[in-house]
Amino acid sequence: MDLVDDAPGPAARQDTARSRAGQENVARILDAALDVFATFGFRGSRIEQIAAAAGLSKTNLLYYFRTKEDLYLAVLQRTLDMWLEPLRALDPARDPADALGDYIARKLAASRDEPAASRLFALEVIQGAPIVAPLLEKTLAAIVAETAGTIEGWVEQGKLGPVSPRHLIYSIWATTQHYADFAAQVRAIEGRDLSDPAFFAEACEHVTRTILQGVLPR
Amino acid sequence: MDLVDDAPGPAARQDTARSRAGQENVARILDAALDVFATFGFRGSRIEQIAAAAGLSKTNLLYYFRTKEDLYLAVLQRTLDMWLEPLRALDPARDPADALGDYIARKLAASRDEPAASRLFALEVIQGAPIVAPLLEKTLAAIVAETAGTIEGWVEQGKLGPVSPRHLIYSIWATTQHYADFAAQVRAIEGRDLSDPAFFAEACEHVTRTILQGVLPR
DNA sequence: GTCTATAAGCGGATAGAC
DNA sequence: GTCTATCCGCTTATAGAC
């Protein structure tokens, strides 16, 4: 699903020295914009701040992205895939303990590796999902439906205890994303975050063991 | 812990007709401000929007709160108690299943009854807790330390399996707050939220059963 | 592609009448 | 306490030189 019609724009040119510099600038702008938008939200972000973080002038940034909204949509678009990737549906053929364990580990790794992406979506959703609402209702609802179907199958086969598939999905999302979205709080309490390998291992083991024990048949 | 020195201000006057109107206005402003700040964050919120939601003019709002920051701090201050209340430490003398079950139910009820408060703190924390950082490091860390100590005691007595107390606390917070903070996403998938009694019961049962089964000794 | 200068508008805050 | 009018700084966005 596209959030923007990506017209060619200045960045899509021939391979000249200028255009190569342009490509790099676009990439740096998008990286910087992700961090800033993920911290302050759309309204709260200042494009000058993004420009500075990307090492460009504000005017120069506006050469690549005509408006703040264009930039925001471009960031969201580029972030979609990395955020949706670990949500790929479960393989119904696998053993649920293995499959769910992998799912949790994948989602937790995403919280470690792309915390800004997680926070950007968190901000969007907290604000009522003004932009990503269509995505939630289509793409995400479809992913949930498929995943829930797989879980329901395991329940019917007796491979899982009587668990509500959608609530289980929410639990996994909530617990894993918490370490990215509430990293400031976790750091205030722990003095560390998922970038610490030992802490990552602890978190992964806790979430996996707690949730799996909670849903496997007794 | 105080975030503001609440000087008397115009709102703390004798009980005249004017001052009574003022008290009501202050209350309406604070209610409106909580909703708006909880949606857009500090920077993203417009005081004119808050004034409109409270049924006042922007100028009139600024009569009661000199600056936007004053208003934000007042909202945060007033919201603190309702947000911290369900985090009261666990009673070590109780049976862990009962005590944890109550804790979860309390926190989930808070997500249902005060979702804006939950989102306000979520926004604060996602943004790196610029204002509430001292609170996190003192009050919240103390609550966590106490609660973790209780859980650790249960583990040592064999009343709980080998669980990491702090990660267990994060799991409970994450799963329960998810229904408030990500309500837009849940609604997009479910078509309902915690205000639906049946859905509340489902969520409560799922979280309680899953987490408790995951931590009780086998 | 990048810069300087500047337009245009918004949002926070104040002054002063009523 | 509430209103109208207004100031001022900040932020987005554009114009045009280099």
Side-chain angles (χ1 to χ4, degrees), chain B residues 87-99:
Chain B
L87 300 182
R88 289 189 323 254
L90 300 156
D91 178 356
R94 295 183 67 189
D95 175 68
D98 291 345

Side-chain angles (χ1 to χ4, degrees), chain A residues 83 87 107 121-122 124-126 128-129 132-133 136-137 140-141 144 169-170 173-174 177, chain B residues 178-192:
Chain A
W83 193 78
L87 300 182
K107 198 82 182 68
F121 278 90
E124 259 288 307
V125 174
I126 288 177
V132 296
L136 296 182
E137 280 155 21
L140 199 59
V144 168
I169 294 169
Y170 302 148
W173 290 356
Q177 291 176 190
Chain B
H178 184 85
Y179 292 98
D181 301 343
F182 291 77
Q185 180 172 285
V186 171
R187 271 194 300 267
I189 292 168
E190 300 274 340
R192 53 192 183 150

Side-chain angles (χ1 to χ4, degrees), chain A residues 56-76:
Chain A
L56 281 81
S57 69
K58 181 175 56 170
T59 338
N60 204 1
L61 183 154
L62 286 167
Y63 168 76
Y64 292 101
F65 296 91
R66 282 218 157 109
T67 68
K68 186 182 177 181
E69 196 173 344
D70 283 353
L71 175 56
Y72 185 69
L73 291 174
V75 170
L76 219 44

